[in-house]
Amino acid sequence: TAIDAAIDHKEKDPVIKLGDAAGTAMAATVTDDWSIEYYLSPYEINLALEYGILAQLFNGKREDALVDARLACYVQDKLGDEYGTDLKKREEGAEARTRGEVDRIVGEQNAALNEMIAATRNSWENPVLWWLTGVLFEADGDWEAAGQSYRRAGTTGTGNPFFEADMKRADTGTPAPIAGRSKLVVIFEDGFVPRRAALKIPLRIYATMSIDVPTYQNIGAYAPRSVLFAGSKGATPAALGLNIRSLAGRTLSEAMPGIITRNVTRAAVNVGMEVGGRAAYRASDNSGAGAAALAIVEIANLIMVCARDADTRSWVTLPDAQYVWCDENMASGDYQLGVTIDGITSTIPVSLTAGETKLLWIANCGGGLRHQCATIGKR
Protein backbone atom coordinates (compact mmCIF):
# COMPACT_ATOMS: atom_id res chain seq x y z
CA THR A 1 0.00 0.00 0.00
CA ALA A 2 2.83 2.40 0.87
CA ILE A 3 4.55 1.74 -2.46
CA ASP A 4 1.35 2.22 -4.45
CA ALA A 5 0.69 5.49 -2.61
CA ALA A 6 4.17 6.78 -3.46
CA ILE A 7 4.46 5.56 -7.06
CA ASP A 8 1.95 6.01 -9.87
CA HIS A 9 2.36 3.17 -12.35
CA LYS A 10 2.01 4.84 -15.74
CA GLU A 11 2.18 3.12 -19.13
CA LYS A 12 5.58 4.61 -19.95
CA ASP A 13 7.43 5.12 -16.65
CA PRO A 14 6.40 4.95 -13.00
CA VAL A 15 5.96 8.45 -11.55
CA ILE A 16 7.34 9.00 -8.05
CA LYS A 17 5.26 11.38 -5.94
CA LEU A 18 7.37 13.55 -3.67
CA GLY A 19 6.73 16.55 -1.49
CA ASP A 20 8.22 19.98 -2.03
CA ALA A 21 11.96 19.25 -2.25
CA ALA A 22 12.86 22.80 -3.20
CA GLY A 23 11.10 24.03 -0.07
CA THR A 24 9.80 27.34 -1.43
CA ALA A 25 6.03 26.75 -1.46
CA MET A 26 3.93 29.16 0.56
CA ALA A 27 0.70 27.22 0.40
CA ALA A 28 -1.79 26.84 3.22
CA THR A 29 -0.96 30.16 4.88
CA VAL A 30 -3.97 30.05 7.18
CA THR A 31 -3.81 26.44 8.40
CA ASP A 32 -0.65 24.45 9.18
CA ASP A 33 1.59 21.78 7.65
CA TRP A 34 -0.76 19.02 8.77
CA SER A 35 -3.18 20.23 6.08
CA ILE A 36 -0.63 19.47 3.34
CA GLU A 37 -0.79 15.98 1.87
CA TYR A 38 1.91 13.71 3.31
CA TYR A 39 4.17 11.89 0.88
CA LEU A 40 6.65 9.23 1.86
CA SER A 41 10.18 10.65 2.06
CA PRO A 42 12.70 9.27 -0.44
CA TYR A 43 14.31 6.99 2.16
CA GLU A 44 10.86 5.78 3.24
CA ILE A 45 9.99 4.92 -0.37
CA ASN A 46 13.19 2.88 -0.64
CA LEU A 47 12.51 1.06 2.62
CA ALA A 48 8.94 0.34 1.49
CA LEU A 49 10.43 -1.25 -1.64
CA GLU A 50 12.92 -3.23 0.45
CA TYR A 51 10.18 -4.58 2.73
CA GLY A 52 8.05 -5.35 -0.32
CA ILE A 53 10.86 -7.52 -1.72
CA LEU A 54 11.33 -9.27 1.64
CA ALA A 55 7.59 -9.89 2.00
CA GLN A 56 7.44 -11.48 -1.47
CA LEU A 57 10.39 -13.74 -0.65
CA PHE A 58 9.00 -14.85 2.71
CA ASN A 59 5.68 -15.68 1.05
CA GLY A 60 7.39 -17.80 -1.59
CA LYS A 61 6.79 -15.33 -4.45
CA ARG A 62 10.32 -15.20 -5.80
CA GLU A 63 9.37 -13.96 -9.29
CA ASP A 64 7.36 -11.10 -7.80
CA ALA A 65 10.35 -10.24 -5.62
CA LEU A 66 12.52 -10.00 -8.74
CA VAL A 67 9.99 -7.64 -10.36
CA ASP A 68 10.06 -5.45 -7.24
CA ALA A 69 13.87 -5.57 -7.24
CA ARG A 70 14.00 -4.12 -10.77
CA LEU A 71 11.48 -1.45 -9.74
CA ALA A 72 13.71 -0.62 -6.75
CA CYS A 73 16.72 -0.07 -9.02
CA TYR A 74 14.66 2.21 -11.26
CA VAL A 75 13.23 4.20 -8.33
CA GLN A 76 16.62 4.83 -6.72
CA ASP A 77 18.02 6.11 -10.02
CA LYS A 78 14.94 8.27 -10.58
CA LEU A 79 15.10 9.75 -7.08
CA GLY A 80 18.69 10.78 -7.68
CA ASP A 81 17.83 12.33 -11.05
CA GLU A 82 14.76 14.27 -9.86
CA TYR A 83 15.05 14.84 -6.12
CA GLY A 84 18.82 15.33 -6.11
CA THR A 85 18.64 17.87 -8.94
CA ASP A 86 15.87 19.77 -7.15
CA LEU A 87 17.92 19.98 -3.95
CA LYS A 88 20.99 21.12 -5.88
CA LYS A 89 19.00 23.96 -7.48
CA ARG A 90 17.83 25.05 -4.05
CA GLU A 91 21.41 25.15 -2.75
CA GLU A 92 22.62 27.11 -5.78
CA GLY A 93 19.81 29.67 -5.36
CA ALA A 94 20.31 30.13 -1.63
CA GLU A 95 22.36 33.33 -1.98
CA ALA A 96 19.60 34.98 -3.99
CA ARG A 97 17.01 34.44 -1.24
CA THR A 98 16.24 37.00 1.41
CA ARG A 99 18.33 36.50 4.52
CA GLY A 100 17.11 37.04 8.05
CA GLU A 101 15.05 35.13 10.55
CA VAL A 102 14.27 32.20 8.24
CA ASP A 103 17.95 31.48 7.62
CA ARG A 104 18.73 31.83 11.33
CA ILE A 105 16.16 29.19 12.23
CA VAL A 106 17.22 26.88 9.40
CA GLY A 107 20.81 27.19 10.60
CA GLU A 108 19.87 26.33 14.18
CA GLN A 109 17.90 23.28 13.12
CA ASN A 110 20.58 22.01 10.75
CA ALA A 111 23.24 22.45 13.43
CA ALA A 112 21.17 20.26 15.76
CA LEU A 113 20.75 17.62 13.03
CA ASN A 114 24.34 17.63 11.76
CA GLU A 115 25.49 14.82 14.04
CA MET A 116 22.73 12.58 12.71
CA ILE A 117 23.24 13.59 9.09
CA ALA A 118 27.00 12.99 8.95
CA ALA A 119 26.72 9.21 8.50
CA THR A 120 24.97 9.31 5.09
CA ARG A 121 25.84 10.68 1.67
CA ASN A 122 22.31 11.52 0.52
CA SER A 123 18.71 10.83 1.47
CA TRP A 124 17.54 8.74 -1.45
CA GLU A 125 20.02 5.88 -1.95
CA ASN A 126 19.74 2.78 0.21
CA PRO A 127 22.95 0.68 0.02
CA VAL A 128 21.23 -2.31 1.67
CA LEU A 129 18.51 -2.20 -1.00
CA TRP A 130 21.14 -2.02 -3.76
CA TRP A 131 22.93 -4.99 -2.20
CA LEU A 132 19.72 -7.00 -1.74
CA THR A 133 18.79 -6.52 -5.41
CA GLY A 134 22.31 -7.67 -6.34
CA VAL A 135 21.91 -10.83 -4.25
CA LEU A 136 18.56 -11.54 -5.92
CA PHE A 137 19.83 -10.97 -9.45
CA GLU A 138 22.90 -13.13 -8.85
CA ALA A 139 20.79 -15.96 -7.43
CA ASP A 140 18.60 -15.68 -10.54
CA GLY A 141 21.64 -15.97 -12.82
CA ASP A 142 21.53 -12.35 -14.07
CA TRP A 143 25.16 -11.53 -13.37
CA GLU A 144 25.17 -8.28 -15.35
CA ALA A 145 22.31 -6.75 -13.32
CA ALA A 146 23.81 -8.14 -10.11
CA GLY A 147 27.13 -6.49 -10.87
CA GLN A 148 25.51 -3.10 -11.38
CA SER A 149 23.65 -3.35 -8.05
CA TYR A 150 26.76 -4.53 -6.19
CA ARG A 151 28.75 -1.61 -7.57
CA ARG A 152 26.09 0.88 -6.44
CA ALA A 153 26.01 -0.72 -2.97
CA GLY A 154 29.79 -0.43 -2.75
CA THR A 155 29.88 3.22 -3.81
CA THR A 156 26.99 4.35 -1.59
CA GLY A 157 27.89 2.20 1.43
CA THR A 158 31.61 2.92 1.51
CA GLY A 159 33.58 1.14 4.20
CA ASN A 160 31.20 -1.84 4.40
CA PRO A 161 33.36 -4.97 3.84
CA PHE A 162 30.48 -7.06 2.47
CA PHE A 163 29.49 -4.41 -0.09
CA GLU A 164 33.12 -3.95 -1.10
CA ALA A 165 33.72 -7.71 -1.43
CA ASP A 166 30.71 -8.11 -3.72
CA MET A 167 31.76 -5.05 -5.73
CA LYS A 168 35.14 -6.72 -6.31
CA ARG A 169 33.39 -9.96 -7.32
CA ALA A 170 31.31 -7.96 -9.78
CA ASP A 171 34.50 -6.57 -11.33
CA THR A 172 36.15 -9.99 -11.59
CA GLY A 173 33.03 -11.93 -12.59
CA THR A 174 33.30 -14.46 -9.74
CA PRO A 175 29.85 -15.81 -8.77
CA ALA A 176 28.94 -17.29 -5.36
CA PRO A 177 28.44 -19.70 -3.71
CA ILE A 178 31.27 -21.92 -4.87
CA ALA A 179 30.45 -25.45 -6.06
CA GLY A 180 29.10 -27.72 -3.34
CA ARG A 181 28.74 -24.92 -0.77
CA SER A 182 25.91 -22.61 0.32
CA LYS A 183 25.54 -18.86 0.70
CA LEU A 184 23.82 -17.32 3.71
CA VAL A 185 22.85 -13.64 3.60
CA VAL A 186 21.67 -11.86 6.78
CA ILE A 187 19.92 -8.51 7.25
CA PHE A 188 19.79 -7.54 10.93
CA GLU A 189 17.59 -4.65 12.12
CA ASP A 190 18.10 -2.82 15.39
CA GLY A 191 15.58 -0.80 17.41
CA PHE A 192 13.18 1.83 16.08
CA VAL A 193 13.89 5.16 14.42
CA PRO A 194 13.20 8.11 16.78
CA ARG A 195 9.84 9.84 16.65
CA ARG A 196 9.51 13.44 15.62
CA ALA A 197 8.44 16.03 18.16
CA ALA A 198 7.10 19.57 17.81
CA LEU A 199 9.34 22.52 18.62
CA LYS A 200 7.95 26.03 19.14
CA ILE A 201 10.27 28.80 17.97
CA PRO A 202 9.47 32.45 18.84
CA LEU A 203 9.85 34.92 15.98
CA ARG A 204 11.38 38.12 17.30
CA ILE A 205 10.61 39.97 14.08
CA TYR A 206 6.89 39.36 14.69
CA ALA A 207 6.81 40.30 18.38
CA THR A 208 4.86 37.62 20.23
CA MET A 209 4.29 35.33 17.23
CA SER A 210 5.84 31.86 17.08
CA ILE A 211 6.07 29.00 14.62
CA ASP A 212 6.03 25.23 15.16
CA VAL A 213 8.53 22.97 13.39
CA PRO A 214 9.27 19.25 13.67
CA THR A 215 12.52 18.11 15.25
CA TYR A 216 14.22 15.15 16.92
CA GLN A 217 14.75 15.97 20.57
CA ASN A 218 17.51 14.75 22.91
CA ILE A 219 19.14 12.37 20.47
CA GLY A 220 22.47 12.24 18.69
CA ALA A 221 24.12 9.96 16.19
CA TYR A 222 23.28 6.25 16.14
CA ALA A 223 25.70 4.23 18.31
CA PRO A 224 26.57 1.01 16.40
CA ARG A 225 26.25 -2.31 18.22
CA SER A 226 28.62 -5.24 18.25
CA VAL A 227 26.84 -7.90 16.15
CA LEU A 228 28.50 -11.27 15.41
CA PHE A 229 27.32 -14.32 13.45
CA ALA A 230 28.77 -17.82 13.67
CA GLY A 231 29.66 -18.81 10.10
CA SER A 232 32.25 -21.07 8.48
CA LYS A 233 35.09 -18.96 9.97
CA GLY A 234 33.69 -18.83 13.48
CA ALA A 235 32.04 -15.74 14.95
CA THR A 236 32.58 -12.87 12.49
CA PRO A 237 31.17 -9.33 12.76
CA ALA A 238 28.24 -7.95 10.81
CA ALA A 239 28.68 -4.47 9.29
CA LEU A 240 26.43 -1.43 9.55
CA GLY A 241 24.75 -1.19 6.16
CA LEU A 242 22.13 1.54 6.59
CA ASN A 243 21.96 4.23 9.27
CA ILE A 244 18.24 5.03 9.13
CA ARG A 245 18.46 7.56 11.96
CA SER A 246 20.89 9.54 9.81
CA LEU A 247 18.58 9.32 6.79
CA ALA A 248 15.68 10.59 8.90
CA GLY A 249 17.73 13.56 10.08
CA ARG A 250 18.94 14.38 6.57
CA THR A 251 15.40 14.24 5.16
CA LEU A 252 14.10 16.59 7.86
CA SER A 253 16.98 18.98 7.17
CA GLU A 254 16.08 19.02 3.48
CA ALA A 255 12.43 19.72 4.22
CA MET A 256 13.10 22.41 6.84
CA PRO A 257 13.46 25.43 4.47
CA GLY A 258 9.98 24.80 3.06
CA ILE A 259 8.48 24.20 6.50
CA ILE A 260 10.00 27.39 7.92
CA THR A 261 9.10 29.51 4.88
CA ARG A 262 5.46 28.40 5.05
CA ASN A 263 5.29 28.99 8.81
CA VAL A 264 6.90 32.43 8.67
CA THR A 265 4.49 33.36 5.86
CA ARG A 266 1.54 32.26 7.99
CA ALA A 267 2.83 34.32 10.91
CA ALA A 268 3.08 37.35 8.62
CA VAL A 269 -0.51 36.80 7.47
CA ASN A 270 -1.67 36.71 11.11
CA VAL A 271 0.19 39.91 11.91
CA GLY A 272 -1.25 41.56 8.78
CA MET A 273 -4.76 40.58 9.80
CA GLU A 274 -4.29 42.12 13.25
CA VAL A 275 -2.68 45.31 11.93
CA GLY A 276 -5.54 45.69 9.45
CA GLY A 277 -8.09 45.10 12.20
CA ARG A 278 -6.54 47.77 14.42
CA ALA A 279 -6.44 50.24 11.52
CA ALA A 280 -10.15 49.58 10.83
CA TYR A 281 -10.89 50.05 14.53
CA ARG A 282 -9.15 53.46 14.57
CA ALA A 283 -10.86 54.49 11.32
CA SER A 284 -14.25 53.74 12.88
CA ASP A 285 -13.54 56.24 15.68
CA ASN A 286 -13.46 53.43 18.22
CA SER A 287 -17.07 52.48 17.49
CA GLY A 288 -18.68 49.37 18.90
CA ALA A 289 -18.80 47.78 15.44
CA GLY A 290 -15.07 48.47 14.93
CA ALA A 291 -14.24 46.98 18.33
CA ALA A 292 -16.28 43.87 17.51
CA ALA A 293 -14.46 43.47 14.20
CA LEU A 294 -11.06 43.82 15.90
CA ALA A 295 -12.05 41.32 18.58
CA ILE A 296 -13.06 38.79 15.92
CA VAL A 297 -9.67 39.18 14.17
CA GLU A 298 -7.74 38.80 17.44
CA ILE A 299 -9.77 35.76 18.51
CA ALA A 300 -9.31 34.16 15.06
CA ASN A 301 -5.55 34.76 15.26
CA LEU A 302 -5.37 33.31 18.76
CA ILE A 303 -7.28 30.20 17.72
CA MET A 304 -5.05 29.64 14.67
CA VAL A 305 -1.81 30.14 16.62
CA CYS A 306 -2.93 27.82 19.43
CA ALA A 307 -4.34 25.17 17.10
CA ARG A 308 -1.28 24.94 14.89
CA ASP A 309 1.13 22.10 15.35
CA ALA A 310 4.29 20.94 13.60
CA ASP A 311 3.88 18.16 11.06
CA THR A 312 5.46 15.24 12.90
CA ARG A 313 4.19 12.57 10.52
CA SER A 314 6.76 9.93 9.61
CA TRP A 315 7.11 6.15 9.43
CA VAL A 316 7.79 5.38 13.11
CA THR A 317 8.10 1.57 12.91
CA LEU A 318 11.28 1.70 10.83
CA PRO A 319 14.44 0.37 12.50
CA ASP A 320 17.19 2.67 13.74
CA ALA A 321 19.74 0.84 11.58
CA GLN A 322 20.27 -2.21 9.38
CA TYR A 323 23.36 -4.45 9.49
CA VAL A 324 24.44 -6.98 6.87
CA TRP A 325 26.45 -10.20 7.03
CA CYS A 326 27.23 -12.84 4.43
CA ASP A 327 29.06 -16.17 4.28
CA GLU A 328 29.47 -17.62 0.78
CA ASN A 329 31.25 -20.80 1.92
CA MET A 330 28.79 -22.53 4.25
CA ALA A 331 28.57 -26.33 4.25
CA SER A 332 25.12 -27.84 3.75
CA GLY A 333 23.28 -28.98 6.89
CA ASP A 334 21.12 -27.86 9.76
CA TYR A 335 22.49 -25.03 11.89
CA GLN A 336 21.71 -23.35 15.15
CA LEU A 337 23.19 -20.07 13.94
CA GLY A 338 24.82 -18.14 16.75
CA VAL A 339 23.85 -14.45 16.91
CA THR A 340 25.81 -12.36 19.45
CA ILE A 341 24.59 -8.81 20.16
CA ASP A 342 26.70 -6.75 22.55
CA GLY A 343 28.03 -9.95 24.14
CA ILE A 344 24.67 -11.74 24.50
CA THR A 345 24.26 -14.83 22.28
CA SER A 346 21.06 -16.32 20.88
CA THR A 347 20.57 -19.07 18.30
CA ILE A 348 18.38 -19.20 15.20
CA PRO A 349 17.69 -22.45 13.26
CA VAL A 350 18.83 -22.39 9.60
CA SER A 351 18.94 -25.26 7.08
CA LEU A 352 21.20 -25.07 4.01
CA THR A 353 21.61 -27.28 0.95
CA ALA A 354 24.49 -27.32 -1.53
CA GLY A 355 24.39 -24.53 -4.14
CA GLU A 356 21.66 -22.64 -2.28
CA THR A 357 21.47 -18.92 -1.50
CA LYS A 358 19.35 -18.27 1.58
CA LEU A 359 18.26 -14.98 3.14
CA LEU A 360 17.80 -14.60 6.90
CA TRP A 361 16.10 -11.45 8.23
CA ILE A 362 16.38 -10.68 11.95
CA ALA A 363 14.75 -7.84 13.90
CA ASN A 364 15.84 -6.76 17.38
CA CYS A 365 13.03 -4.45 18.47
CA GLY A 366 12.48 -5.56 22.07
CA GLY A 367 11.16 -8.77 23.63
CA GLY A 368 13.64 -11.04 21.85
CA LEU A 369 14.73 -11.56 18.26
CA ARG A 370 12.21 -12.00 15.44
CA HIS A 371 13.33 -13.73 12.26
CA GLN A 372 12.23 -14.99 8.87
CA CYS A 373 14.12 -17.12 6.36
CA ALA A 374 13.70 -17.65 2.60
CA THR A 375 15.49 -19.46 -0.19
CA ILE A 376 16.17 -17.01 -3.02
CA GLY A 377 18.07 -19.17 -5.50
CA LYS A 378 20.02 -22.31 -6.21
CA ARG A 379 22.92 -22.88 -8.58
Side-chain angles (χ1 to χ4, degrees), residues 270-304:
N270 288 143
V271 170
M273 289 168 61
E274 190 156 331
V275 169
R278 291 185 182 279
Y281 173 58
R282 288 193 296 270
S284 69
D285 294 326
N286 302 338
S287 70
L294 176 59
I296 290 171
V297 169
E298 290 180 338
I299 291 170
N301 271 346
L302 180 62
I303 291 171
M304 283 187 283

Side-chain angles (χ1 to χ4, degrees), residues 351-372:
S351 296
L352 300 172
T353 60
E356 180 180 57
T357 297
K358 183 160 278 190
L359 171 68
L360 174 63
W361 172 83
I362 306 171
N364 178 37
C365 52
L369 301 180
R370 292 156 175 79
H371 62 89
Q372 289 281 355

Side-chain angles (χ1 to χ4, degrees), residues 308-358:
R308 282 179 187 153
D309 193 13
D311 185 358
T312 55
R313 290 173 291 184
S314 63
W315 189 349
V316 297
T317 57
L318 295 175
D320 227 2
Q322 289 183 327
Y323 294 73
V324 297
W325 182 89
C326 180
D327 191 332
E328 299 165 351
N329 194 32
M330 298 278 285
S332 58
D334 296 328
Y335 289 83
Q336 289 294 323
L337 184 71
V339 183
T340 304
I341 305 167
D342 290 342
I344 300 174
T345 300
S346 304
T347 58
I348 293 176
V350 178
S351 296
L352 300 172
T353 60
E356 180 180 57
T357 297
K358 183 160 278 190

